[in-house]
């Protein structure tokens, strides 16, 4: 067991580090070679084989890159619609966290609330939310409010269910310590339950980001013309496949960036959770 | 039901000479159909250390958790300074076998936790905590997280957290069972040193007979199913107890007395389990 220095800096070993006195294995035995190599291989194949397909149906990387440049710097469509979409995504996620986390803790701590909400929540979670979108449009209109509600509904359940799980699995010993020191219930949330559940909450939010992106695009398909979803449907309708691919790839990139960004934040604010790895 | 081996004439040994701080009266605890203990009676004095030993599963820890108010009792009562214990009360602090530190709190925040729960203002907590960190020898590790520390250091932190609320009763639930043998010995004498500076009531549950004799003014041997205080061994070793104490003939003698009582019971319990 290593001991912290005075500043309390964590002597945390990276999970995949090799002992320093040992030579690193050659590059073809290491992770980056396969990780990046395969992506490059796919892109290369796509670039070579893509032009052989009818351009009305398909496109290829260099052409998409040109389209990306045009949409971003010439017409400025892409940043404009992306900002619209992001606004909706973040609002939806924000409310999903704001509602999901406290509701989950209440359910996990108070039996009657758990008993009452268990079925409705599981029923809603199992319902394909896509099926509700036309109804939501009917109820909430076609503007931003409706879209945020769609994203919220897509995102709230993974957060709710994960947080609930985290609080339920909270170390009984720690709850006992809190009780022994006469902690009131609401302080127990702050000192014990939420910190313990933090990795679960973060996992829930990561899932919620993925589902939220789906909800966002669907909402944009169904409601007013706006956002990346609108870009996709418009360019697909006029068979400009290269320009259709641009927002699709951006969505993919957004998903990756947001989830890995969250992982980074998690490591920063919860250094103890690295300890077991 | 009182086991036949429980002799009433030993009852005088269950009381204390100094004014009693903890009174346990005909205590009964059940887990479902199982009676863990029944008819437990004893007093613990104001500046007394009572060590409780007993075979595994005899309800030592359960008894301690009842005294802390963490578990409800099914009969009898526990009085602390005349007040009936129904839930954790102020002035009683527990040190846990599993340390019970919060992984997301630094040493400073863990030690200050009890004070914060007791409603002390932040500036007063900040003023008090360093003293207790120093007292347990953790100076220099104020900002360390539990996962960065050894088991011994973690339990020092747990001890500081309990001491920081300046309790009148300290409950020790096998506090050194999870640390290695050398660390354990160091911590035992450290605890004795700290206790000498501010003697309080202490109930010390342990597996270790040596530890019980070294710490306790009296050693209670828990026995039977349901269990009860089978034997009280008064420890007449002088204080302060130090490493010298371990070499005294009287220490070995007392250890043998407790050992004999306990081992007879442990063997019985073992064969009960086999059957």
């Amino acid at each position: 067991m290593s001991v912290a220095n005075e500043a309390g800096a964590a002597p945390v070993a990276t999970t995949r580090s090799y002992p320093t006195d040992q030579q690193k294995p050659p590059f073809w035995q290491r992770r980056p070679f396969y990780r990046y190599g395969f992506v490059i291989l796919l892109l290369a194949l796509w670039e070579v084989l893509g032009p052989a397909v009818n351009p009305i149906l398909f496109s290829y990387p260099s052409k998409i890159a040109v389209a990306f440049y045009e949409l971003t710097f010439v017409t400025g469509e892409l940043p404009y619609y992306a900002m619209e979409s992001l606004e909706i995504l973040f609002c939806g996620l924000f409310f999903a966290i704001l509602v999901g986390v406290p509701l989950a803790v209440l359910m996990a701590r108070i039996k009657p609330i758990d008993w009452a909400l268990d079925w409705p929540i599981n029923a809603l979670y199992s319902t394909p939310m896509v099926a509700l979108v036309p109804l939501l449009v009917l109820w909430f209109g076609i503007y931003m409010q409706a879209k945020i509600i769609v994203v919220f509904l897509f995102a709230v359940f993974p957060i709710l269910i994960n947080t609930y799980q985290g609080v339920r699995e909270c170390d009984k010993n720690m709850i006992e310590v809190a009780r022994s020191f006469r902690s009131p219930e609401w302080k127990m949330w702050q000192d014990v339950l939420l910190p313990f559940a933090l990795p679960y909450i973060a996992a829930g939010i990561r899932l919620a980001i993925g589902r939220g992106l789906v909800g966002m695009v669907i909402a944009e398909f169904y409601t007013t013309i706006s956002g990346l979803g609108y870009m996709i449907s418009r360019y697909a309708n006029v068979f400009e496949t290269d320009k259709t691919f641009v927002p699709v790839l951006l969505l993919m990139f957004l998903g990756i960036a947001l989830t890995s960004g969250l992982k980074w934040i998690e490591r920063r604010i919860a250094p103890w959770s690295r300890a077991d790895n | 039901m009182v086991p036949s081996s429980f002799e009433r004439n030993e009852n005088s040994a269950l009381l204390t000479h100094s004014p009693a701080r903890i009174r346990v009266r005909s205590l009964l605890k059940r887990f479902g159909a199982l009676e863990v203990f029944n008819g437990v009676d004893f007093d613990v004095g104001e500046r007394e250390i009572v060590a409780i030993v007993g075979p595994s599963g005899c309800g030592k820890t359960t008894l301690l958790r009842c005294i802390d108010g963490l578990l409800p009792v099914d009969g009898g009562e526990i009085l602390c300074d005349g007040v009936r214990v129904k839930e954790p009360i102020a002035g009683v602090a527990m040190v846990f076998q599993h340390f019970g530190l919060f992984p997301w709190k630094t040493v400073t925040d863990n030690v200050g936790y009890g004070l914060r729960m007791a409603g002390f203002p932040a500036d007063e907590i900040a003023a008090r905590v360093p003293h207790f960190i120093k007292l347990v020898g953790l100076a220099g590790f104020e900002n360390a997280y539990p996962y960065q520390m050894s088991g011994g250091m973690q339990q020092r932190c747990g001890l500081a957290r309990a001491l920081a609320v300046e309790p009148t009763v300290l409950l020790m639930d096998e506090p050194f069972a999870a640390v290695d043998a050398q660390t354990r010995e160091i911590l035992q004498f450290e605890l004795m040193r700290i206790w000498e500076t501010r003697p309080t009531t202490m109930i010390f549950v342990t597996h270790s007979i040596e530890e019980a004799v070294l710490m306790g003014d009296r050693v209670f041997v828990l026995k039977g199913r349901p269990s009860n205080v089978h034997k009280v061994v008064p420890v007449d070793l002088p204080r302060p107890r130090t490493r010298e104490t371990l070499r005294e003939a009287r220490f070995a003698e007392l250890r043998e007395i407790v050992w004999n009582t306990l081992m007879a019971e442990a063997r019985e319990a073992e064969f009960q389990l086999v059957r």
Side-chain angles (χ1 to χ4, degrees):
Chain A
M1 172 68 59
S2 58
V3 158
N5 61 26
E6 211 154 315
V12 178
T14 53
T15 44
R16 291 294 182 101
S17 69
Y18 299 95
T20 43
D21 56 334
Q22 203 181 314
Q23 192 104 44
K24 274 187 178 180
F27 71 89
W28 66 84
Q29 286 179 12
R30 286 194 291 133
R31 190 162 57 177
F33 177 67
Y34 294 94
R35 183 162 274 184
Y36 300 115
F38 188 65
V39 173
I40 292 165
L41 181 73
L42 279 181
L43 286 174
L45 277 175
W46 188 5
E47 183 68 34
V48 173
L49 302 176
V53 184
N54 186 336
I56 285 174
L57 302 176
F58 205 54
S59 190
Y60 47 93
S62 58
K63 211 174 155 194
I64 295 168
V66 172
F68 173 79
Y69 177 84
E70 264 175 44
L71 290 174
T72 309
F73 300 106
V74 181
T75 67
E77 270 172 82
L78 188 67
Y80 175 76
Y81 286 126
M83 285 316 290
E84 261 186 357
S85 287
L86 277 176
E87 200 181 340
I88 288 159
L89 180 71
F90 280 126
C91 281
L93 284 174
F94 174 76
F95 287 116
I97 295 168
L98 201 69
V99 171
V101 172
L103 189 60
V105 184
L106 280 174
M107 278 179 73
R109 293 295 293 174
I110 303 169
K111 277 266 155 57
I113 296 180
D114 190 12
W115 294 331
L117 295 185
D118 185 25
W119 282 10
I121 282 174
N122 274 305
L124 275 173
Y125 182 52
S126 320
T127 312
M129 281 301 149
V130 189
L132 287 179
V133 173
L135 271 176
L136 292 169
V137 171
L138 210 59
W139 295 337
F140 300 107
I142 53 170
Y143 299 106
M144 204 157 143
Q145 184 196 10
K147 293 178 195 183
I148 290 170
I149 289 171
V150 172
V151 173
F152 168 82
L153 282 174
F154 270 77
V156 74
F157 293 105
I159 295 172
L160 190 72
I161 288 165
N162 268 275
T163 308
Y164 174 82
Q165 193 73 15
V167 175
R168 287 303 293 267
E169 282 176 21
C170 183
D171 192 341
K172 297 291 171 290
N173 288 336
M174 279 179 212
I175 292 176
E176 188 165 69
V177 170
R179 283 189 53 216
S180 179
F181 282 100
R182 299 155 52 81
S183 170
E185 171 72 17
W186 63 273
K187 274 190 182 166
M188 205 182 287
W189 285 37
Q190 177 195 344
D191 290 307
V192 188
L193 300 174
L194 287 175
F196 186 90
L198 193 64
Y200 294 80
I201 298 171
I205 294 174
R206 280 202 298 273
L207 288 173
I209 288 170
R211 285 175 58 107
L213 280 169
V214 175
M216 182 190 86
V217 173
I218 288 170
E220 285 165 351
F221 283 168
Y222 271 90
T223 57
T224 41
I225 43 168
S226 75
L228 296 172
Y230 162 69
M231 274 184 88
I232 294 168
S233 65
R234 195 185 79 186
Y235 285 114
N237 285 342
V238 294
F239 304 106
E240 290 191 54
T241 41
D242 52 344
K243 286 181 178 162
T244 311
F245 266 110
V246 172
V248 171
L249 292 176
L250 181 67
L251 282 169
M252 189 171 85
F253 177 76
L254 260 180
I256 296 168
L258 287 175
T259 46
S260 46
L262 192 72
K263 267 187 187 166
W264 182 81
I265 293 171
E266 196 190 337
R267 279 200 302 273
R268 288 296 298 273
I269 64 171
W272 67 87
S273 64
R274 290 179 299 187
D276 316 325
N277 310 333
Chain B
M1 188 192 75
V2 177
S4 55
S5 58
F6 184 79
E7 288 163 32
R8 278 291 164 191
N9 61 12
E10 271 195 345
N11 257 8
S12 58
L14 289 165
L15 304 177
T16 166
H17 302 300
S18 59
R21 172 151 281 143
I22 298 276
R23 289 174 196 277
V24 176
R25 290 292 175 267
S26 47
L27 201 65
L28 166 66
K29 176 67 194 170
R30 286 199 201 94
F31 283 135
L34 175 79
E35 280 190 0
V36 186
F37 42 76
N38 194 348
V40 177
D41 284 284
F42 62 81
D43 284 2
V44 186
E46 268 176 10
R47 295 177 167 205
E48 192 186 23
I49 303 180
V50 161
I52 299 177
V53 291
S56 299
C58 74
K60 302 184 293 282
T61 295
T62 306
L63 177 60
L64 206 63
R65 290 166 75 208
C66 287
I67 295 171
D68 195 27
L70 289 170
L71 287 176
V73 296
D74 297 299
E77 59 181 3
I78 298 157
L79 300 171
C80 178
D81 284 328
V83 181
R84 190 165 177 175
V85 177
K86 287 184 194 135
E87 54 183 22
I89 58 173
V92 179
M94 185 131 146
V95 176
F96 297 85
Q97 180 181 357
H98 52 73
F99 313 144
L101 300 179
F102 299 117
W104 39 86
K105 289 183 188 291
T106 60
V107 167
T108 300
D109 291 342
N110 267 301
V111 173
Y113 177 73
L115 290 170
R116 207 155 62 75
M117 290 304 111
F120 282 83
D123 53 342
E124 201 172 335
I125 296 172
R128 281 182 180 217
V129 163
H131 166 71
F132 291 97
I133 290 177
K134 221 176 121 199
L135 187 67
V136 299
L138 279 182
F141 295 94
E142 286 82 359
N143 297 318
Y145 284 95
Y147 72 90
Q148 297 170 313
M149 303 193 296
S150 68
M153 291 167 77
Q154 290 186 43
Q155 193 56 302
R156 282 169 189 268
C157 184
L159 183 61
R161 178 177 62 185
L163 292 171
V165 297
E166 303 196 318
T168 52
V169 179
L170 206 49
L171 303 176
M172 312 287 280
D173 180 17
E174 300 187 35
F176 309 139
V179 299
D180 62 81
Q182 289 129 48
T183 308
R184 176 179 196 145
E185 210 162 289
I186 292 166
L187 289 176
Q188 284 167 357
F189 291 110
E190 197 97 323
L191 177 63
M192 285 290 87
R193 176 184 64 77
I194 292 167
W195 184 83
E196 294 290 345
T197 63
R198 187 173 172 277
T200 56
T201 305
M202 193 191 291
I203 303 179
F204 196 106
V205 165
T206 176
H207 262 110
S208 158
I209 295 164
E210 294 212 355
E211 191 168 80
V213 174
L214 180 69
M215 296 283 165
D217 293 308
R218 287 181 295 159
V219 177
F220 291 1
V221 180
L222 243 57
K223 173 196 166 90
R225 272 160 203 264
S227 65
N228 207 316
V229 181
H230 169 62
K231 193 175 178 74
V232 177
V233 181
V235 181
D236 46 12
L237 295 164
R239 289 192 186 272
R241 308 230 177 112
T242 58
R243 284 196 58 80
E244 303 296 314
T245 314
L246 296 174
R247 284 202 294 255
E248 283 179 32
R250 185 66 184 144
F251 178 81
E253 219 173 293
L254 288 163
R255 195 185 54 195
E256 284 313 295
I257 294 170
V258 178
W259 196 91
N260 286 331
T261 321
L262 192 59
M263 283 307 129
E265 165 60 14
R267 242 174 246 127
E268 247 169 66
E270 193 185 340
F271 284 100
Q272 267 176 14
L273 286 175
V274 172
R275 195 180 60 193

